[in-house]
C-alpha cells in the first residue's frame, strides 16, 4: 500500500497521505512524498499540487517513535535534517503546492503545511506546536517559517506555549489563506490565488525593533517561569533569533543543533519516556479473544465530592447517569453542582450551550433501587467505610441484571474485603477516580483475582469512553497511586514533628517540581482523609509506622483544611491565599514536645530526601508485588496521579537515573535513622546492579 495516494483531475494533483489512522509523518512517508512531488512536477497534466489527509485529519505530526531511536547528537541532527530537506523540496517545487488541512494539526504536520505555498483548512482544525511540552524545539523548519508567516510575537506564542490555534484565529493571523467546509477542501485549495514560498517572505518580519522586543519578552518570561533543566524554550528562542538575524538557512542549522541540545538533557529524555509510558498504560496484556461489553447506562451511588464528579464525567462522555444518595438533599445539591460546573465550561467557551442542554437531560436522581438496577454499570462512591460499602454493594448486586458490572471507587480498601457482599464477584471491579473526577485524567482500574477478563476489558473500555487514561492494577490496599502517595503525605507530618517549617516542606517539593507542596495539597483534600486512608494502609503494611500525632490533634481541633477555612494554613474566606496558622503551629510544637523531640533545624535537603525516598521505597515495593503491568506504568501513574514531575520521569525512573546503588545506600541510612518505612525491599537490593 502506498503511503501517498496520487491522483490528478482538472490539472490538480492531489497527494493524499495514506497512513491511517493518524497519518504519522515517518521517514518512509517523507520519501514517498518527495517522489510524488517530483512526479507531479514532471506530469504535464498537473498545474497545481494539493497535499491533504482525510476528511477528519491531515496528519498527527512526526511519528514520536522516531525520538526513541535518537542516541546521539548526530542522530538528532540527522533526523532534523531529513525533515528539513524533505520540506525544502516541497517548498522548492516549481508547481505550486497547497496544503488542505483538517483536524488536530500539531508539530511536524503543521511544519509540512508551512512549507507549502498556500494553506486552507476546515473549520474544526486546530494548529499547534506542542514540541515544547515534550522538552524539544521543532526541528523541521517550524521556528523559521512560522515567524515569516505570522510575525515573531504570535509565532513565539505558539512555539513556547504549545497551545492550539483554531481555524478562525489561524485565518486572522495569516497562517491559512482560507477556511472552508471539509468536503470542499480540494476546490478551495485549487482556488488560492496568492502563492508564495514561506521562507522568502519578509513582510511579517520587517520591523526589527518589534522582533527584538518579542524575543526579549520571551527571554524574560522564560527566566521568570522556566527551570534550568528545561532548555526547550531557550532553544526555540535561539533558533528563531538566528533565523532572523542571520538567514533562513542559518536558522535551520540552529534548529538542528538546538534539537540535539534538547535531546541530550535528562529532562527531555524523561519527558519522552513518560510520553511513551502514558501510551502504554491502556494496553492490557493477555486479552486476545476477550471483548469488552459497552456501557450504555451508569448509576452512581453516593453524591458526595466524588460521586458528583463521576456523574459529571459520565455526562460529559454523553452517557445517561442515574444517581442516588442516602441523604435526599445530596441529590439536589449534586444536580446543582454539576450544572454550575458545566455552565462554567460554557462561559469559558469550552462547551456549547446546546451541548449543555443536552448533557443536563442525561442526569436523573432517584431513591428507587429498581431505577438503579437498569444501569449496566453501578459505581459506588459512598463513605470510605467497609460496612456501609458492603451494604450498598449488596443492594446494587440484587438490583442489577446478570450482565451488569459493579464498581467501587474506594481509595484504599481491598476489593477482596468488599467483594463478600457482591452477588456476582466476577463482575466486580475497582474504578478509582481522582479528585476532581470530571477533570483528572487518570483512572485506576483494579482487578481482583476473581474479576473476569471481560469485566477488565469492559472497565478499561469504559475509562477510555470517559476520555481517561486507565491504568490496570492488581488489588491491594491503596492500589498504586495512594499506596505510594499517602506515605509521602504522611512523611510531611513526620517532618513537621521533627521541626521542619510547613512552608519549607512545601517549598522544597515545589522546587523539586511538584505543582504544589504536600501540606497545601492535604489542606485541599482534608486532613481527616489522611487519617482515614492511612489507617487502612497501616493495617495492611505495618512497616508504614505510626502517623504523627499532629494529624489526630489537628482533626480533633477541627483544623481539617480548606473546607473549614483552616488546616496547616489559614485561608482567607473566598480565596485560596494562605497564611501560617498559629493554632496549627502550636499543635506542631506541642506534639513535638510530647514525642520528646528537641527542636532542630530541618533543611531543604533533608526534607527532599525523606519525602522523595519514602515514595521511591514504596514504589519499588509496588513493583516487587507485581501490582502494575509494567515498571513504566508506575512512573506514569505517579506523574498523572500525584503530580510527580514528568521531567524526572516518575519515582522509579528517577531512582534509576540517580543510580540504584546510591538509592539503596540512602534508604539504608534513612532506615537506620528513622525506621522500617524506609527499608529497601528485596527486589531493590537484588536489581541494584542492573
Ligand atoms: P463524601 O463523604 O463526600 O460523600 C459520600 C456520600 O455518600 C455522601 O453524600 C453520603 O450521604 C453518601 N452515602 C453514605 N452512605 C450511603 C448509603 N448507604 N447509600 C447511599 N449514599 C450513601 O465522600 P467522597 O469524598 O465523595 O468519597 C466517596 C468515596 O470515594 C470514598 O470511598 C472515598 O475513599 C473515595 N475517594 C475519595 C476521593 C477524595 O479525594 N475525596 C478520591 C478518590 C476516591
Amino acid at each position: 500500500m502506498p503511503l501517498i495516494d496520487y491522483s490528478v483531475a482538472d490539472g490538480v494533483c492531489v497527494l493524499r497521505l495514506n497512513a491511517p489512522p493518524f497519518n504519522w509523518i515517518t521517514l518512509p512517508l517523507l520519501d514517498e512524498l518527495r517522489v510524488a512531488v517530483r512526479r507531479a512536477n514532471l506530469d504535464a497534466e498537473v498545474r497545481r499540487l494539493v497535499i491533504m489527509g482525510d476528511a477528519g485529519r491531515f496528519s498527527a505530526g512526526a511519528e514520536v517513535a522516531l525520538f526513541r531511536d535518537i542516541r546521539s547528537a548526530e542522530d538528532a541532527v540527522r533526523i532534523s535534517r531529513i525533515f528539513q530537506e524533505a520540506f525544502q523540496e516541497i517548498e522548492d517545487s516549481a508547481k505550486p503546492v497547497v496544503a488542505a488541512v483538517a483536524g488536530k494539526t500539531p508539530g511536524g504536520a503543521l511544519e509540512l503545511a508551512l512549507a507549502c505555498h498556500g494553506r486552507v483548512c476546515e473549520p474544526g482544525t486546530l494548529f499547534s506546536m506542542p514540541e515544547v511540552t515534550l522538552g524539544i524545539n521543532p526541528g523541521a523548519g517550524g521556528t523559521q517559517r512560522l515567524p515569516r508567516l505570522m510575525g515573531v510575537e504570535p509565532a513565539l506564542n505558539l512555539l513556547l506555549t504549545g497551545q492550539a490555534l483554531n481555524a478562525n484565529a489561524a485565518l486572522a493571523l495569516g497562517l491559512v489563506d482560507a477556511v472552508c467546509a471539509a468536503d470542499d477542501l480540494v476546490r478551495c485549495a485549487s482556488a488560492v490565488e496568492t502563492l508564495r514560498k514561506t521562507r522568502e517572505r519578509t513582510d511579517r518580519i520587517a520591523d526589527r525593533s518589534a522582533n527584538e522586543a518579542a524575543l526579549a519578552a520571551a527571554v524574560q518570561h522564560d527566566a521568570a517561569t522556566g527551570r534550568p533543566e528545561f532548555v526547550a524554550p531557550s532553544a526555540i528562542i535561539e533558533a528563531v533569533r538566528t533565523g532572523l538575524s542571520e538567514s533562513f538557512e542559518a536558522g535551520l542549522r540552529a534548529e538542528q543543533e538546538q534539537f540535539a541540545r534538547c535531546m541530550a538533557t535528562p529532562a527531555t529524555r524523561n519527558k519522552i519516556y513518560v510520553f511513551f509510558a502514558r501510551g502504554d498504560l491502556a494496553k492490557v496484556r493477555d486479552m486476545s479473544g476477550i471483548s469488552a461489553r459497552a456501557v450504555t447506562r451508569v448509576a452512581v451511588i453516593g453524591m458526595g465530592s466524588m460521586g458528583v464528579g463521576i456523574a459529571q464525567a459520565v455526562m460529559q462522555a454523553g452517557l445517561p447517569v442515574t444517581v442516588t444518595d442516602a441523604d435526599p438533599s445530596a441529590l439536589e445539591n449534586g444536580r446543582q453542582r454539576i450544572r454550575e460546573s458545566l455552565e462554567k465550561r460554557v462561559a469559558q467557551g469550552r462547551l456549547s450551550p446546546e451541548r449543555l442542554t443536552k448533557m443536563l437531560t442525561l442526569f436523573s436522581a432517584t431513591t428507587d433501587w429498581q431505577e438503579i438496577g437498569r444501569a449496566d454499570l453501578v459505581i459506588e462512591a459512598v463513605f470510605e467505610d467497609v460496612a456501609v460499602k458492603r451494604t450498598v454493594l449488596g443492594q446494587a448486586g440484587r438490583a442489577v441484571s446478570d450482565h451488569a458490572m459493579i464498581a467501587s471507587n474506594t481509595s484504599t480498601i481491598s476489593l477482596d474485603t468488599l467483594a463478600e457482599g457482591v452477588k456476582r464477584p466476577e463482575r466486580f471491579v475497582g474504578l478509582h477516580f481522582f479528585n476532581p473526577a470530571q477533570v483528572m485524567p487518570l483512572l485506576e482500574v483494579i482487578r481482583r483475582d476473581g474479576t473476569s477478563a471481560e469485566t477488565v476489558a469492559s472497565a478499561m473500555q469504559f475509562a477510555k469512553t470517559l476520555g481517561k487514561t486507565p491504568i490496570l492494577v492488581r488489588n491491594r490496599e491503596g492500589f498504586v497511586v495512594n499506596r505510594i502517595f499517602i506515605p509521602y503525605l504522611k512523611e510531611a507530618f513526620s517532618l513537621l514533628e521533627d521541626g521542619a517549617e510547613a512552608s519549607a516542606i512545601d517549598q522544597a517539593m515545589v522546587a523539586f517540581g511538584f505543582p504544589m507542596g504536600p501540606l497545601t495539597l492535604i489542606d485541599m483534600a482534608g486532613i481527616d482523609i489522611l487519617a482515614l486512608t492511612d489507617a487502612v494502609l497501616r493495617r495492611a503494611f505495618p512497616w508504614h509506622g505510626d502517623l504523627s500525632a499532629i494529624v489526630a490533634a489537628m482533626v480533633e481541633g477541627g483544623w481539617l483544611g480548606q473546607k473549614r477555612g483552616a488546616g496547616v494554613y489559614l485561608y482567607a474566606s473566598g480565596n485560596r491565599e494562605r497564611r501560617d496558622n498559629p493554632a496549627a503551629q502550636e499543635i506542631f510544637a506541642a506534639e513535638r514536645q510530647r514525642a520528646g523531640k528537641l527542636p532542630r533545624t530541618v533543611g531543604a535537603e533533608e526534607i527532599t530526601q525523606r519525602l522523595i525516598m519514602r515514595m521511591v521505597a514504596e514504589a519499588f515495593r509496588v513493583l516487587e508485588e507485581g501490582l502494575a503491568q509494567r515498571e513504566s506504568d508506575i512512573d506514569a501513574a505517579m506523574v498523572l496521579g500525584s503530580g510527580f514531575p514528568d521531567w524526572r520521569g516518575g519515582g522509579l525512573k528517577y531512582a534509576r537515573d540517580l543510580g540504584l546503588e546510591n538509592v539503596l545506600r540512602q534508604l539504608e541510612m534513612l532506615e537506620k535513622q528513622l525506621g522500617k518505612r524506609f527499608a529497601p525491599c528485596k527486589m531493590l537490593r537484588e536489581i541494584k546492579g542492573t
Side-chain angles (χ1 to χ4, degrees):
M1 271 264 276
L3 296 169
I4 304 291
D5 275 346
Y6 185 100
S7 63
V8 183
D10 301 329
V12 175
C13 171
V14 172
L15 301 182
R16 194 182 286 274
L17 312 187
N18 180 29
F22 296 112
N23 286 336
W24 292 118
I25 305 177
T26 56
L27 300 187
L29 184 139
L30 278 184
D31 275 345
E32 283 196 32
L33 187 57
R34 294 176 81 157
V35 170
V37 169
R38 275 175 228 152
R39 177 177 160 194
N41 270 280
L42 294 172
D43 191 334
E45 259 187 72
V46 174
R47 276 181 286 107
R48 170 178 295 210
L49 288 76
V50 174
I51 300 180
M52 63 190 301
D54 43 54
R57 186 192 302 274
F58 175 57
S59 158
E63 188 187 33
V64 190
L66 280 171
F67 300 140
R68 257 190 177 158
D69 303 331
I70 294 178
R71 304 252 178 275
S72 63
E74 291 75 35
D75 286 346
V77 167
R78 186 179 55 85
I79 294 283
S80 171
R81 191 182 300 136
I82 291 173
F83 272 78
Q84 289 178 352
E85 286 174 359
F87 292 172
Q88 186 98 357
E89 179 160 357
I90 292 166
E91 198 170 43
D92 285 340
S93 160
K95 295 181 183 175
V97 187
V98 179
V101 182
K104 284 186 184 156
T105 306
L110 175 52
E111 290 175 292
L112 166 58
L114 296 176
C116 296
H117 306 126
R119 282 148 294 279
V120 299
C121 72
E122 54 89 23
T125 310
L126 284 175
F127 296 97
S128 66
M129 294 300 274
E131 284 83 348
V132 70
T133 59
L134 263 188
I136 55 177
N137 59 292
T143 63
Q144 304 308 305
R145 291 194 178 91
L146 261 187
R148 284 167 172 76
L149 205 54
M150 56 197 293
V152 178
E153 193 189 334
L156 281 172
N157 196 25
L158 213 62
L159 290 162
L160 292 172
T161 64
Q163 280 167 8
L165 207 60
N166 66 28
N168 283 336
L171 183 65
L173 286 164
L175 188 60
V176 292
D177 302 288
V179 178
C180 47
D183 57 6
D184 197 27
L185 279 174
V186 175
R187 195 203 54 77
C188 192
S190 312
V192 175
E193 280 174 7
T194 320
L195 295 159
R196 286 176 290 189
K197 291 185 183 178
T198 309
R199 73 163 185 271
E200 289 175 359
R201 296 230 351 220
T202 53
D203 50 318
R204 296 286 174 110
I205 53 169
D207 185 344
R208 280 186 176 209
S209 61
N211 296 347
E212 278 309 317
L215 285 164
V219 170
Q220 207 170 22
H221 186 262
D222 181 39
T225 59
R227 295 188 61 111
E229 296 88 350
F230 298 162
V231 300
S234 74
I236 289 168
I237 296 168
E238 233 2 82
V240 171
R241 188 196 300 282
T242 307
L244 293 171
S245 62
E246 295 179 32
S247 64
F248 181 84
E249 287 68 27
L252 287 185
R253 282 194 302 277
E255 230 184 35
Q256 296 166 12
E257 285 155 18
Q258 295 295 342
F259 179 56
R261 172 180 161 225
C262 291
M263 287 299 296
T265 64
T268 297
R269 282 204 300 269
N270 282 335
K271 271 175 178 279
I272 291 172
Y273 164 79
V274 171
F275 178 88
F276 286 112
R278 286 179 68 155
D280 286 343
L281 276 179
K283 297 179 191 154
V284 183
R285 289 184 174 150
D286 307 326
M287 291 299 257
S288 63
I290 308 289
S291 48
R293 202 180 256 275
V295 170
T296 56
R297 183 171 198 92
V298 180
V300 178
I301 310 175
M303 275 284 95
S305 343
M306 292 310 291
V308 169
I310 296 169
Q312 185 178 332
V314 173
M315 291 158 70
Q316 283 169 192
L319 292 178
V321 62
T322 307
V323 306
T324 192
D325 197 293
D327 171 4
S329 70
L331 296 179
E332 203 32 55
N333 251 331
R335 183 198 298 270
Q336 197 52 32
R337 273 164 54 200
I338 292 174
R339 174 187 281 276
E340 282 165 15
S341 166
L342 291 173
E343 278 170 352
K344 221 186 212 169
R345 285 179 181 232
V346 174
Q348 291 163 342
R350 291 160 61 206
L351 183 70
S352 71
E354 298 76 43
R355 276 206 68 204
L356 167 72
T357 313
K358 222 186 231 166
M359 247 178 222
L360 292 175
T361 64
L362 296 170
F363 181 91
S364 62
T366 185
T367 49
D368 177 359
W369 279 95
Q370 256 187 334
E371 271 292 300
I372 298 293
R374 289 176 53 218
D376 40 27
L377 168 64
V378 179
I379 304 173
E380 165 281 303
V382 300
F383 299 139
E384 188 77 342
D385 178 291
V386 173
V388 178
K389 282 192 187 293
R390 274 190 183 154
T391 309
V392 165
L393 291 167
Q395 279 170 307
R398 285 190 294 279
V400 295
S401 71
D402 282 354
H403 74 264
M405 280 194 293
I406 298 193
S408 172
N409 181 48
T410 176
S411 320
T412 48
I413 305 171
S414 163
L415 296 188
D416 293 342
T417 314
L418 299 177
E420 281 174 30
V422 180
K423 200 163 151 204
R424 280 171 289 274
E426 72 282 3
R427 308 204 59 78
F428 179 47
V429 70
L431 286 179
H432 180 225
F433 290 81
F434 293 82
N435 195 5
Q438 73 279 17
V439 175
M440 293 292 281
L442 190 67
L443 178 58
E444 276 180 306
V445 174
I446 302 128
R447 73 188 300 177
R448 301 171 54 241
D449 285 345
T451 306
S452 71
E454 188 198 65
T455 304
V456 169
S458 308
M460 294 294 280
Q461 185 61 44
F462 173 67
K464 283 185 239 170
T465 305
L466 295 191
K468 306 280 183 206
T469 305
I471 171 178
L472 180 61
V473 307
R474 302 204 80 88
N475 177 45
R476 187 100 206 253
E477 286 83 350
F479 318 117
V480 169
V481 174
N482 280 342
R483 167 78 181 276
I484 298 168
F485 200 53
I486 300 286
Y488 158 84
L489 299 175
K490 183 171 170 178
E491 193 63 28
F493 283 91
S494 299
L495 281 158
L496 278 177
E497 193 177 297
D498 288 349
E501 297 281 340
S503 55
I505 293 172
D506 279 346
Q507 269 162 24
M509 285 303 96
V510 171
F512 185 83
F514 278 86
M516 68 176 78
L519 297 169
T520 306
L521 188 115
I522 200 65
D523 262 1
M524 280 172 73
I527 293 179
D528 49 334
I529 303 285
L530 176 61
L532 270 173
T533 46
D534 175 63
V536 178
L537 293 186
R538 203 169 358 136
R539 233 174 288 129
F541 314 110
W543 67 87
H544 281 201
D546 290 339
L547 181 60
S548 164
I550 290 174
V551 175
M554 300 272 295
V555 172
E556 201 183 297
W559 306 106
L560 300 186
Q562 281 189 16
K563 58 186 167 189
R564 293 282 178 84
V568 173
Y569 302 104
L570 278 180
Y571 299 86
S573 64
N575 70 41
R576 292 189 171 171
E577 208 174 293
R578 46 164 226 238
R579 284 177 288 126
D580 283 339
N581 178 3
Q585 288 181 331
E586 269 174 37
I587 292 177
F588 307 156
E591 293 305 328
R592 189 177 306 141
Q593 208 170 20
R594 200 176 316 220
K597 293 183 178 169
L598 293 174
R600 68 179 176 96
T601 313
V602 183
E605 205 173 312
E606 179 181 341
I607 293 171
T608 308
Q609 186 190 36
R610 280 172 60 175
L611 288 172
I612 300 302
M613 283 302 143
R614 184 65 194 91
M615 271 200 266
V616 167
E618 207 61 30
F620 273 105
R621 286 186 187 269
V622 166
L623 180 67
E624 179 176 67
E625 290 168 26
L627 298 183
Q629 293 192 93
R630 326 165 177 81
E631 179 167 336
S632 66
D633 282 13
I634 300 172
D635 282 324
M638 289 177 79
V639 169
L640 293 173
S642 58
F644 199 97
D646 62 349
W647 55 275
R648 294 198 191 265
L652 295 173
K653 179 65 166 53
Y654 174 71
R656 286 197 182 273
D657 284 350
L658 274 184
L660 297 187
E661 195 83 49
N662 174 348
V663 169
L664 192 63
R665 226 176 320 120
Q666 292 194 44
L667 287 176
E668 282 169 351
M669 187 200 77
L670 288 166
E671 180 191 0
K672 223 177 271 165
Q673 288 172 358
L674 297 161
K676 281 246 166 299
R677 62 187 189 275
F678 285 100
C681 64
K682 188 159 165 275
M683 181 192 221
L684 176 54
R685 279 196 229 107
E686 282 167 5
I687 61 175
K688 70 169 195 305
T690 62

